[in-house]
Amino acid sequence: MSLQDLLAAIECIHSSHSSAAQRSAYNTCEAFKANCDNLPLAGLELAKPTNSVVVRHFGCQLLDHFVKFKWSGTTDAEKAEFKNILVKNILEAGTLDILKESGLVKNILSAVTSEILKRDWPNNWVDFLNIVKANMSRDSTAGEILLSSLSRLIEDIELDSNLTPARRADLLRCVGACKDEIIDMIACKLKEIIESPNNVNATQETPTHKTAVVALEVLSAASSMTWFQHNSLYDKKSHVCTLLFLLLRDKWLRQASADVLYNLAARKTSLADNSEFAKFMLQDDALKMLFDIASEICSSTLNDKSVLFLKTLCRTYTQLGENHISGIYRNHMSVNKESFQKYLQLMLIFYEHHLISIRSIVIDLWVHFMNVEQLKKNEDLRLVVPHVVRATQKYFCRPLLDDPFDDFLDYSELMKIYSTQLSKMISLIGHAAKICPNETLQVAFEWQMSILRSDIPKNVLCKEDTKPFTVWKYFATFVEKIISFVFKHPNPEVKIEPIQQSLGYLLKFDCSDPLISYWHVSSISAYVPTFRDCDSLTIPMLEKLFILLGKKFENTYAGVSNAKMSALVSDLHRHTSSCLLKFVTNYPAAITWEVFQEMQALYTTLLASIDNQRYGSMLLILEALIAGSNKIPNLDQQIGYIKQLIKPLLTLLDSPDIKRCVDFASFLQFMKIDPNNCSEVSVEVKQLRLGLAALCAVSKRFTNTANSQPPSPAFQMVFPYLETVFTLNKAINKFWCSETYNEYPWLKVPLEPDKETKMIYCTLLDKRTDAVPTFRMNMVGLTDYANQLIESICQNLHTSIYKWESFSNLIMDCYVIPMQTVQMPRLKAILHSVVKPFLVYCPLEDYGICLNVLQVTLETVYKRLSAEWSDIQARKLVVNAEEYAESSAELDEIFYDHMVLIVTREYCDLLTHFFSRKSREQRIEGRRKSDGGKLVNPVTEHLLKSSQVSVPLLVSVFSCMSWGDGVSSNRACSMAHTALKLIESSGVNLSTEATHTFIVKSLQALQIHGQHDNCLYTLLNVIIAIIQNTYKTMPNVTKDILAQIPNVIPEKIERFFNTLEKSVASDRNLRDSLQSVVNPIISRPVSEAGKQHYKIHELKPIIFKSNSNNDNSNNNLSNNELEGLHSLFTQGR
């Protein structure tokens, strides 16, 4: 190949030619590199400074190729000649001026020199450091390249995986021996900069600066390596760190100097080194220089470089505090008091900076310091804490889009940083509230007073992106976190008077904007924990809440419709009621008899001022009043009061006409659901929702224990309505069953999820854009109220409800049977709010009534989910572009898959109740009770012995592993382990059929999830546990199954069982051995690299032959319960 052809190919690669031409040129250059007989000569010729940069770069690449691949076959004489040519002819004589030379050429020459050093230095390049010194003194390009190669070498000693251990150790010894010489060489260059006025005050970068920057990079590389003894840079014999501090004033070298200091501060060292380094960094001169530099930078216009420098200084002193100063205090030592005060002052200056990127660095230090026990009582830290809290408060609110921010970030980046910092700020004020409660509260009170004095626009409704709304919202969060931390535990140091005064001001505030009032209520609610120590404002607070509940907000605003205003007011009323309920239920000690009487009077006044349309927003108040009525000293009086309270809400349930609702047709007629106008919600539907909610409130909040004998008063009050409620619930659930739409086709479309509903379920949309409830939303609300009533009864009235003989039959008839055909979202609701509470809260002695419900639930849900996951898997195997022609079809599929996913996780959560291992605290508590502190739910052992539920329960657990959700699969693996241990501990051997079934399901799970490491290990452990449980009693069963894996190697199966026989075999060895057996069905080439060329449905399925051997062991799982399951498991493969 001629030189001209090669040069043309090099230029073509870097030109705008077509990709085909560039590829051809690239192949030409690679061929020359591989076939050239004299690479050094060709490289020397091409690297001449008269050539273009790209040609010179290729010439240096030839030299690099020679060193990497042909160096070992070169004689010592040739190597010496090559090094001499490299230094004399290329680095010294063949490069341009240091300020003009291309970075591309410098970089490749540095790499070439570094590769030689890794092979020959020091034994075969003894004078290398002398060459570096000579070129450094001249500030030549050669000096810069040689220093850069030394920096690369230092990093590669630790990072280059190609270095042999012996060579790495040799280089470490050499660098260690030359360390002082290298540091002195760099220090001389740094002194030269400092001592020369021309260099210090240079307005343009000089050759000396260029050389010094690379010298500092050498120090930076060394200081970041774990093997480097960094104390040699700041001990009494060395002045390097002093030089670094002086160079912080040099605009050309300050960033490189700061990088070295940061690397030193980021190192975690011994206590002695901590003390020595902290003492150096906290010297008066050093801190004074830092104060001056920070002040100088912050007073001028910031640019990218100055911001980066400021960040590096912040990180340096933050790391100093976290790694060194806190280590000193943890060891019950301390730093100089005056120095520590100045340090805290410096960090406070950084924390008060207007750039969020600066504050986000320093906040970690404050949180860290306030977490160190030895520092919490430090007098100097306690003095600065209020200032830190005040700086936090200043920037606590979310930045708005139109706020000025000079941080070189776009708004989305700014919000990402802010979201992370907000959680840290909340943590910070929490720690501060514990250390300095009164001072922290004072900051919140001062902020509150400034907010109360600020003006709120009266002719415009505030929005979420306006300043008043943002300030009120984040103030409510700020004060709530502080007060909750201050009053989490009794603290006699807390001053009560300022709290009462501040709350008094807050209660006097009034606003005509419902959005501002919403967060005003949240702010009031934040003070509730203080009522434990000061209850004088309890009644005034209740009065304020009831005033807001009755407020009508009749102002009109331009561009705000009546419907929008009504929705905002409804949100406010619900929020206020929720705060009232939270107060009554979480702080019952504050609800005295006098307070409760005042609540009654306020409620009576409120009822007189509102219309019946507002009854829906009063349900939370109803709960609060029922909870408060537990303070009535006389039980009969309380029962009478609650009956009077809920009577207006039970009008429909008390109606004799409701007895006519014997089927779905009569229910539709009674509820006045009109096929011609489904969107209109009848009064009867609203009344039924209120009645169900009222009964739920009674069961949940009526907790008077004056009558300790069952049935409880709450149960006696609810029980007369239960049969009617179950009859209605059966009809309500028919709304969601597919067979209903055959008889009533006009119901199907109104009850189908609309686009927004699907997007919300799939987390593609946060909330609805239209506030008007649809017919489906109203029916969902009605169904949820019905479900929540059953959940509340099971949870709160379990001592009585399970004694009712008809209870389980009604659950079966009204909820479990409809699960076969209900929509997926409603199936999830039934599992969560009805079946799971029914099974979880049943007393152990009454669990016999649950077996039928549990059996049918397991069989029904297992059958549905198995079919759904098979459909999903089949759909994912073959994807046609036509199927995604419309976005609505794609959304439907996403929604469908997501609903199957969440039902699977809900079902898995139900199964976990039986197989989750108890915590140590739960086991200790269990020893005090009847379960003897067992590891799992005591009912599980009884279920595994039951022929009625043991098989569907175990089959569900092992099937869940093979469904298409990795989270559920991992949880099922944990349950399978627990189940196997329970079976083993009971002395029962698994039958042949059970072993076959469990291993098949586990292998199917491996086929689906085995490509993911977190699933792979847990699944392998399950299979090993099954085999360990059975291989001695039935060795051929597991071997036969493993032998049927496609492309399996029989020798690996034998090797696995040989490993299993070894008593010293570790879990890891067993996993690795089994993985080699099952690798054909989980191999990554098929799942990753090969998926471009293969469709999964084209691969051979795993075929498991039926096992005709009968195991006659006398255990519960072998008595034909698993008969016929093999065909079920092989479907869809």
Side-chain angles (χ1 to χ4, degrees):
M1 179 187 300
S2 68
L3 180 61
Q4 294 302 320
D5 291 340
L6 179 62
L7 294 176
I10 297 170
E11 295 291 347
C12 178
I13 293 174
H14 299 277
S15 66
S16 57
H17 285 77
S18 65
S19 57
Q22 289 178 327
R23 192 159 45 248
S24 175
Y26 174 79
N27 292 334
T28 299
C29 293
E30 288 300 307
F32 179 83
K33 190 186 296 184
N35 300 322
C36 180
D37 295 331
N38 197 334
L39 285 173
L41 183 61
L44 182 63
E45 183 66 26
L46 294 174
K48 288 181 179 180
T50 53
N51 293 326
S52 67
V53 171
V54 293
V55 172
R56 295 175 64 203
H57 182 264
F58 183 75
C60 297
Q61 279 188 322
L62 296 180
L63 301 178
D64 185 61
H65 186 84
F66 172 76
V67 174
K68 285 181 178 177
F69 300 103
K70 299 188 177 183
W71 192 259
S72 58
T74 307
T75 65
D76 291 342
E78 290 172 334
K79 291 177 183 178
E81 183 182 2
F82 180 86
K83 286 180 282 191
N84 185 58
I85 292 173
L86 176 68
V87 173
K88 299 295 184 183
N89 293 20
I90 299 179
L91 297 184
E92 295 180 350
T95 54
L96 304 178
D97 182 84
I98 191 171
L99 297 177
K100 298 178 181 178
E101 184 58 273
S102 167
L104 199 64
V105 174
K106 291 179 183 177
N107 186 60
I108 187 65
L109 286 173
S110 169
V112 173
T113 311
S114 174
E115 291 298 325
I116 297 175
L117 290 174
K118 283 190 283 186
R119 289 162 174 78
D120 277 22
W121 190 63
N123 296 336
N124 296 323
W125 203 353
V126 180
D127 60 341
F128 172 72
L129 287 181
N130 293 329
I131 297 172
V132 176
K133 288 179 186 177
N135 283 281
M136 273 184 67
S137 64
R138 295 194 291 268
D139 294 322
S140 64
T141 305
E144 181 185 4
I145 293 171
L146 291 167
L147 279 172
S148 180
S149 66
L150 184 59
S151 176
R152 283 175 181 264
L153 173 69
I154 291 171
E155 290 178 341
D156 285 347
I157 290 175
E158 186 164 313
L159 304 178
D160 189 353
S161 59
N162 294 323
L163 284 176
T164 63
R167 182 57 183 153
R168 193 186 309 276
D170 189 32
L171 286 171
L172 278 174
R173 283 192 297 271
C174 178
V175 172
C178 301
K179 180 189 65 176
D180 293 338
E181 184 180 357
I182 295 172
I183 292 175
D184 289 343
M185 176 177 67
I186 294 172
C188 289
K189 177 55 65 177
L190 300 183
K191 286 179 183 177
E192 180 184 339
I193 291 279
I194 293 168
E195 292 171 357
S196 172
N198 294 332
N199 287 324
V200 173
N201 302 317
T203 56
Q204 293 183 344
E205 191 174 22
T206 64
T208 307
H209 283 122
K210 274 281 188 183
T211 306
V213 167
V214 186
L216 288 170
E217 288 175 359
V218 175
L219 279 184
S220 181
S223 60
S224 64
M225 296 296 108
T226 56
W227 50 265
F228 183 76
Q229 295 180 351
H230 66 291
N231 55 1
S232 59
L233 298 181
Y234 56 81
D235 59 17
K236 295 179 180 179
K237 300 178 182 178
S238 174
H239 300 286
V240 174
C241 276
T242 303
L243 298 174
L244 294 175
F245 266 96
L246 294 173
L247 290 173
L248 293 177
R249 287 195 170 281
D250 189 304
K251 60 183 287 188
W252 305 106
L253 300 176
R254 65 185 185 182
Q255 182 60 52
S257 302
D259 287 338
V260 179
L261 291 172
Y262 169 73
N263 288 338
L264 294 175
R267 293 282 294 274
K268 295 182 179 180
T269 56
S270 64
L271 177 61
D273 285 341
N274 282 343
S275 301
E276 188 177 353
F277 185 67
K279 183 178 179 181
F280 175 84
M281 296 291 282
L282 297 179
Q283 293 179 90
D284 288 345
D285 292 342
L287 290 175
K288 183 178 184 304
M289 181 178 293
L290 261 293
F291 278 112
D292 293 343
I293 291 172
S295 176
E296 181 182 332
I297 292 177
C298 295
S299 62
S300 58
T301 303
L302 293 174
N303 54 37
D304 285 340
K305 290 184 177 180
S306 57
V307 170
L308 178 61
F309 175 57
L310 197 58
K311 286 180 182 178
T312 308
L313 289 181
C314 285
R315 289 192 179 98
T316 300
Y317 272 81
T318 298
Q319 290 295 319
L320 173 68
E322 293 182 7
N323 293 337
H324 301 272
I325 296 177
S326 67
I328 293 170
Y329 279 95
R330 276 199 182 99
N331 286 277
H332 305 284
M333 299 173 63
S334 63
V335 298
N336 179 270
K337 181 178 178 65
E338 186 177 351
S339 298
F340 188 53
Q341 289 174 343
K342 291 181 178 178
Y343 172 76
L344 294 175
Q345 185 181 355
L346 174 66
M347 301 315 293
L348 182 61
I349 290 173
F350 284 139
Y351 189 56
E352 290 173 338
H353 200 275
H354 67 280
L355 294 185
I356 189 172
S357 54
I358 300 294
R359 300 195 306 274
S360 64
I361 297 169
V362 187
I363 193 171
D364 291 327
L365 173 75
W366 296 120
V367 174
H368 179 81
F369 271 6
M370 294 181 194
N371 258 323
V372 177
E373 288 297 327
Q374 292 81 358
L375 276 169
K376 288 180 181 179
K377 299 179 181 179
N378 183 275
E379 179 183 340
D380 299 316
L381 181 63
R382 292 171 72 92
L383 287 174
V384 83
V385 162
H387 300 284
V388 175
V389 175
R390 191 165 280 106
T392 304
Q393 173 264 310
K394 182 179 178 182
Y395 297 104
F396 195 77
C397 293
R398 174 176 63 89
L400 299 177
L401 189 58
D402 55 353
D403 284 349
F405 54 92
D406 185 21
D407 214 340
F408 307 99
L409 302 168
D410 62 30
Y411 188 69
S412 61
E413 292 175 324
L414 180 68
M415 288 309 301
K416 287 179 183 177
I417 296 177
Y418 171 78
S419 299
T420 303
Q421 185 159 342
L422 179 61
S423 62
K424 294 179 181 180
M425 289 192 289
I426 290 173
S427 177
L428 186 150
I429 59 177
H431 291 304
K434 296 176 186 177
I435 297 173
C436 303
N438 293 313
E439 293 82 355
T440 306
L441 284 168
Q442 185 60 35
V443 175
F445 300 155
E446 290 173 5
W447 190 13
Q448 176 182 298
M449 290 306 298
S450 69
I451 295 173
L452 296 178
R453 294 192 187 105
S454 61
D455 293 330
I456 297 175
K458 296 183 179 179
N459 57 343
V460 180
L461 190 67
C462 286
K463 298 180 181 179
E464 294 186 3
D465 57 351
T466 57
K467 187 172 182 179
F469 174 86
T470 306
V471 171
W472 269 101
K473 176 181 177 179
Y474 286 92
F475 165 72
T477 304
F478 187 82
V479 72
E480 188 270 331
K481 295 299 179 184
I482 289 178
I483 290 178
S484 63
F485 278 109
V486 169
F487 287 90
K488 190 172 184 178
H489 303 289
N491 189 345
E493 297 180 5
V494 178
K495 297 178 182 178
I496 303 302
E497 294 79 8
I499 298 174
Q500 292 177 317
Q501 185 180 17
S502 180
L503 178 57
Y505 288 134
L506 193 62
L507 294 176
K508 293 175 184 176
F509 176 78
D510 187 45
C511 180
S512 59
D513 191 315
L515 274 175
I516 299 298
S517 296
Y518 184 100
W519 293 107
H520 177 211
V521 170
S522 295
S523 304
I524 294 172
S525 178
Y527 281 85
V528 168
T530 67
F531 291 169
R532 186 182 61 198
D533 297 318
C534 53
D535 57 0
S536 60
L537 290 175
T538 302
I539 292 177
M541 186 205 71
L542 291 173
E543 291 174 346
K544 183 65 177 181
L545 293 181
F546 275 95
I547 288 172
L548 288 169
L549 284 168
K551 194 168 182 179
K552 299 189 178 182
F553 295 90
E554 296 176 342
N555 291 9
T556 58
Y557 299 93
V560 181
S561 65
N562 290 336
K564 174 68 173 176
M565 192 68 180
S566 177
L568 292 175
V569 174
S570 296
D571 285 345
L572 169 62
H573 290 156
R574 277 192 294 271
H575 181 56
T576 308
S577 303
S578 177
C579 291
L580 178 64
L581 177 61
K582 175 183 172 184
F583 167 53
V584 174
T585 54
N586 292 355
Y587 301 93
I591 309 299
T592 61
W593 174 240
E594 291 76 19
V595 170
F596 177 68
Q597 287 180 309
E598 182 64 24
M599 282 179 63
Q600 284 183 275
L602 292 169
Y603 180 68
T604 304
T605 304
L606 179 63
L607 287 180
S609 66
I610 64 173
D611 53 40
N612 290 335
Q613 298 300 316
R614 284 273 310 279
Y615 249 123
S617 63
M618 307 299 286
L619 290 174
L620 292 172
I621 305 176
L622 180 75
E623 279 197 51
L625 289 168
I626 294 174
S629 71
N630 293 306
K631 295 295 181 178
I632 298 177
N634 183 280
L635 179 60
D636 292 335
Q637 184 182 354
Q638 182 186 7
I639 293 173
Y641 170 74
I642 294 176
K643 285 183 176 180
Q644 181 184 1
L645 192 65
I646 65 175
K647 184 177 180 179
L649 305 181
L650 298 177
T651 305
L652 186 74
L653 292 175
D654 287 328
S655 169
D657 296 337
I658 203 168
K659 304 297 181 183
R660 299 199 306 266
C661 297
V662 293
D663 55 21
F664 189 65
S666 58
F667 176 78
L668 291 176
Q669 185 179 2
F670 182 75
M671 290 287 108
K672 296 181 181 179
I673 297 175
D674 186 0
N676 298 319
N677 189 12
C678 285
S679 60
E680 188 68 27
V681 181
S682 65
V683 174
E684 286 75 13
V685 172
K686 295 178 181 178
Q687 287 180 338
L688 181 55
R689 289 172 62 175
L690 293 174
L692 294 172
L695 293 177
C696 187
V698 171
S699 65
K700 200 186 300 184
R701 304 301 177 188
F702 185 8
T703 58
N704 194 317
T705 56
N707 182 12
S708 58
Q709 297 297 322
S712 65
F715 179 77
Q716 294 178 31
M717 193 175 295
V718 172
F719 181 72
Y721 297 95
L722 288 184
E723 285 197 16
T724 302
V725 166
F726 274 105
T727 302
L728 295 172
N729 288 355
K730 184 176 181 179
I732 291 170
N733 280 325
K734 282 188 174 293
F735 277 109
W736 314 107
C737 296
S738 55
E739 67 266 16
T740 303
Y741 306 143
N742 297 329
E743 188 174 353
Y744 304 92
W746 55 272
L747 277 173
K748 184 175 181 180
V749 174
L751 290 175
E752 283 289 322
D754 58 13
K755 182 177 180 180
E756 285 195 347
T757 299
K758 294 175 182 177
M759 293 181 72
I760 290 171
Y761 267 116
C762 300
T763 65
L764 301 173
L765 188 68
D766 292 333
K767 59 183 180 180
R768 290 189 169 275
T769 56
D770 188 1
V772 178
T774 63
F775 177 73
R776 183 182 188 279
M777 291 168 62
N778 281 293
M779 290 302 104
V780 167
L782 179 61
T783 311
D784 287 343
Y785 275 117
N787 293 349
Q788 288 166 14
L789 173 59
I790 306 304
E791 180 180 14
S792 179
I793 290 171
C794 294
Q795 181 176 357
N796 301 295
L797 306 179
H798 57 269
T799 56
S800 304
I801 191 63
Y802 289 96
K803 306 298 182 185
W804 184 26
E805 294 180 357
S806 303
F807 187 43
S808 63
N809 292 332
L810 289 169
I811 293 287
M812 175 77 77
D813 190 38
C814 300
Y815 288 100
V816 179
I817 300 301
M819 285 198 300
Q820 298 173 5
T821 55
V822 295
Q823 294 179 7
M824 273 291 174
R826 306 323 307 161
L827 176 57
K828 188 261 184 188
I830 292 175
L831 283 173
H832 179 80
S833 300
V834 179
V835 175
K836 183 180 174 183
F838 174 76
L839 296 171
V840 167
Y841 295 110
C842 180
L844 184 61
E845 61 272 14
D846 297 323
Y847 219 85
I849 71 170
C850 297
L851 295 182
N852 286 336
V853 171
L854 178 57
Q855 178 190 3
V856 178
T857 298
L858 293 171
E859 292 173 351
T860 301
V861 181
Y862 163 75
K863 184 177 180 180
R864 281 197 67 173
L865 287 177
S866 294
E868 300 288 2
W869 280 114
S870 295
D871 290 346
I872 292 173
Q873 190 66 20
R875 222 177 335 106
K876 289 183 177 179
L877 296 182
V878 184
V879 178
N880 296 321
E882 300 83 40
E883 296 177 8
Y884 294 91
E886 297 182 7
S887 60
S888 60
E890 188 174 350
L891 177 61
D892 288 343
E893 185 172 310
I894 294 172
F895 173 71
Y896 175 85
D897 293 357
H898 186 73
M899 292 318 304
V900 174
L901 176 73
I902 65 173
V903 172
T904 301
R905 293 188 178 180
E906 189 63 48
Y907 186 52
C908 188
D909 194 53
L910 172 64
L911 297 174
T912 303
H913 168 69
F914 300 109
F915 292 104
S916 60
R917 297 176 68 85
K918 293 182 178 180
S919 66
R920 182 174 178 273
E921 293 75 14
Q922 289 173 320
R923 294 199 298 273
I924 293 173
E925 182 65 21
R927 293 191 189 103
R928 299 174 188 157
K929 298 182 180 179
S930 58
D931 68 1
K934 295 178 180 178
L935 290 177
V936 295
N937 190 332
V939 77
T940 308
E941 293 183 9
H942 298 284
L943 295 179
L944 291 179
K945 295 176 182 177
S946 167
S947 60
Q948 187 176 359
V949 297
S950 60
V951 172
L953 185 62
L954 289 171
V955 167
S956 291
V957 168
F958 281 88
S959 297
C960 196
M961 294 192 302
S962 62
W963 291 335
D965 176 34
V967 174
S968 298
S969 180
N970 273 338
R971 295 181 69 186
C973 287
S974 176
M975 290 187 277
H977 263 296
T978 305
L980 291 169
K981 288 181 180 178
L982 285 173
I983 293 171
E984 184 180 7
S985 64
S986 65
V988 175
N989 293 322
L990 285 176
S991 67
T992 303
E993 290 82 359
T995 304
H996 185 282
T997 300
F998 295 162
I999 293 182
V1000 167
K1001 299 306 293 183
S1002 302
L1003 290 174
Q1004 288 175 340
L1006 272 175
Q1007 202 173 18
I1008 295 172
H1009 302 294
Q1011 287 82 10
H1012 310 289
D1013 286 344
N1014 59 332
C1015 295
L1016 174 62
Y1017 297 141
T1018 54
L1019 287 167
L1020 290 174
N1021 286 334
V1022 169
I1023 298 174
I1024 290 170
I1026 298 170
I1027 295 174
Q1028 285 176 328
N1029 191 291
T1030 59
Y1031 83 100
K1032 290 184 178 179
T1033 57
M1034 51 185 89
N1036 293 329
V1037 174
T1038 52
K1039 285 186 178 181
D1040 289 346
I1041 296 172
L1042 294 177
Q1044 294 175 62
I1045 296 175
N1047 304 318
V1048 71
I1049 300 174
E1051 291 79 9
K1052 291 187 176 181
I1053 298 177
E1054 291 300 324
R1055 193 178 306 140
F1056 166 70
F1057 280 94
N1058 291 336
T1059 305
L1060 197 65
E1061 291 285 351
K1062 296 178 182 178
S1063 58
V1064 295
S1066 65
D1067 292 341
R1068 182 173 180 178
N1069 288 340
L1070 287 173
R1071 272 200 311 269
D1072 292 343
S1073 182
L1074 179 60
Q1075 185 177 348
S1076 69
V1077 174
V1078 299
N1079 229 29
I1081 60 173
I1082 61 173
S1083 57
R1084 284 169 174 76
V1086 173
S1087 65
E1088 294 174 5
K1091 65 185 175 184
Q1092 300 283 338
H1093 310 288
Y1094 299 99
K1095 291 187 181 295
I1096 297 175
H1097 76 281
E1098 295 171 355
L1099 300 178
K1100 292 182 179 180
I1102 303 178
I1103 300 176
F1104 295 99
K1105 300 175 183 177
S1106 325
N1107 195 328
S1108 59
N1109 296 331
N1110 292 321
D1111 183 55
N1112 297 321
S1113 58
N1114 56 355
N1115 61 72
N1116 290 315
L1117 291 175
S1118 63
N1119 297 327
N1120 298 322
E1121 293 95 329
L1122 292 170
E1123 198 169 309
L1125 288 177
H1126 301 301
S1127 60
L1128 178 64
F1129 290 154
T1130 55
Q1131 288 175 0
R1133 292 196 300 273

